[in-house]
Amino acid sequence: MGEAERGDTAARLYVSYYCSSGHETRPAFAADAAVPSVWDCPRCGMPSNLDSKNPPPPPKNEPYKTHLAYVKERRSDHEAATILSEALQTLRDRRARGEVIY
Protein backbone atom coordinates (compact mmCIF):
# COMPACT_ATOMS: atom_id res chain seq x y z
CA MET A 1 0.00 0.00 0.00
CA GLY A 2 1.77 3.09 -1.22
CA GLU A 3 1.37 6.72 -0.30
CA ALA A 4 -0.98 7.30 -3.21
CA GLU A 5 -3.52 4.89 -1.70
CA ARG A 6 -3.31 6.43 1.77
CA GLY A 7 -4.04 9.96 0.70
CA ASP A 8 -2.22 13.18 1.50
CA THR A 9 0.34 13.28 4.28
CA ALA A 10 0.27 15.92 7.00
CA ALA A 11 2.46 18.93 6.49
CA ARG A 12 5.75 18.52 8.33
CA LEU A 13 8.20 20.92 9.86
CA TYR A 14 11.85 19.91 10.30
CA VAL A 15 13.60 21.65 13.18
CA SER A 16 17.36 21.64 13.87
CA TYR A 17 18.59 21.03 17.42
CA TYR A 18 22.25 21.40 18.47
CA CYS A 19 24.02 19.73 21.40
CA SER A 20 27.30 20.64 23.11
CA SER A 21 29.06 17.76 21.29
CA GLY A 22 28.44 19.49 17.94
CA HIS A 23 25.72 17.14 16.71
CA GLU A 24 22.74 18.40 14.75
CA THR A 25 19.42 16.58 15.02
CA ARG A 26 16.48 17.30 12.69
CA PRO A 27 13.28 15.67 13.97
CA ALA A 28 10.04 16.18 12.03
CA PHE A 29 7.00 17.73 13.66
CA ALA A 30 3.50 18.37 12.38
CA ALA A 31 3.37 21.86 10.94
CA ASP A 32 0.72 22.95 13.43
CA ALA A 33 2.39 21.32 16.50
CA ALA A 34 4.21 23.20 19.22
CA VAL A 35 7.97 22.73 18.83
CA PRO A 36 9.81 21.94 22.11
CA SER A 37 12.72 24.20 23.02
CA VAL A 38 14.89 21.28 24.26
CA TRP A 39 15.47 17.88 22.65
CA ASP A 40 17.72 14.97 23.66
CA CYS A 41 20.48 14.25 21.14
CA PRO A 42 19.99 10.69 19.78
CA ARG A 43 23.76 10.28 19.22
CA CYS A 44 25.20 11.22 22.61
CA GLY A 45 22.14 11.70 24.87
CA MET A 46 23.07 15.27 25.80
CA PRO A 47 20.40 17.98 25.83
CA SER A 48 20.20 20.10 22.69
CA ASN A 49 18.41 23.32 21.82
CA LEU A 50 17.58 25.49 18.83
CA ASP A 51 20.59 27.85 19.15
CA SER A 52 23.56 26.55 17.13
CA LYS A 53 25.92 29.17 18.60
CA ASN A 54 25.00 28.48 22.22
CA PRO A 55 24.03 24.84 22.85
CA PRO A 56 23.12 23.85 26.43
CA PRO A 57 26.01 22.66 28.62
CA PRO A 58 26.21 18.99 29.58
CA PRO A 59 24.35 18.18 32.79
CA LYS A 60 26.46 18.01 35.93
CA ASN A 61 26.47 14.63 37.61
CA GLU A 62 26.69 14.74 41.36
CA PRO A 63 29.23 12.24 42.70
CA TYR A 64 28.08 9.45 44.99
CA LYS A 65 28.16 10.51 48.63
CA THR A 66 28.87 8.11 51.43
CA HIS A 67 27.04 8.11 54.74
CA LEU A 68 30.11 9.72 56.31
CA ALA A 69 29.99 12.59 53.79
CA TYR A 70 26.37 13.33 54.73
CA VAL A 71 27.24 13.23 58.43
CA LYS A 72 30.13 15.65 57.87
CA GLU A 73 27.72 18.06 56.18
CA ARG A 74 25.49 18.10 59.27
CA ARG A 75 28.12 18.15 62.01
CA SER A 76 31.09 20.39 62.68
CA ASP A 77 34.43 18.92 63.76
CA HIS A 78 33.82 20.17 67.31
CA GLU A 79 30.38 18.51 67.47
CA ALA A 80 31.83 15.25 66.11
CA ALA A 81 34.59 15.26 68.73
CA THR A 82 32.04 15.87 71.49
CA ILE A 83 29.78 13.02 70.32
CA LEU A 84 32.76 10.67 69.99
CA SER A 85 34.05 11.46 73.49
CA GLU A 86 30.54 10.89 74.95
CA ALA A 87 30.23 7.54 73.15
CA LEU A 88 33.68 6.43 74.32
CA GLN A 89 32.90 7.44 77.90
CA THR A 90 29.66 5.44 77.77
CA LEU A 91 31.59 2.38 76.59
CA ARG A 92 34.21 2.82 79.31
CA ASP A 93 31.49 3.10 81.97
CA ARG A 94 29.79 -0.09 80.71
CA ARG A 95 33.10 -1.97 80.75
CA ALA A 96 33.82 -0.75 84.27
CA ARG A 97 30.44 -2.15 85.42
CA GLY A 98 31.31 -5.49 83.79
CA GLU A 99 28.69 -5.38 81.05
CA VAL A 100 29.33 -7.45 77.97
CA ILE A 101 29.83 -5.23 74.91
CA TYR A 102 29.46 -6.62 71.42
Side-chain angles (χ1 to χ4, degrees), residues 25-47:
T25 305
R26 296 198 63 202
F29 297 97
D32 58 348
V35 176
S37 61
V38 179
W39 192 263
D40 287 337
C41 178
R43 290 187 194 170
C44 63
M46 297 289 182

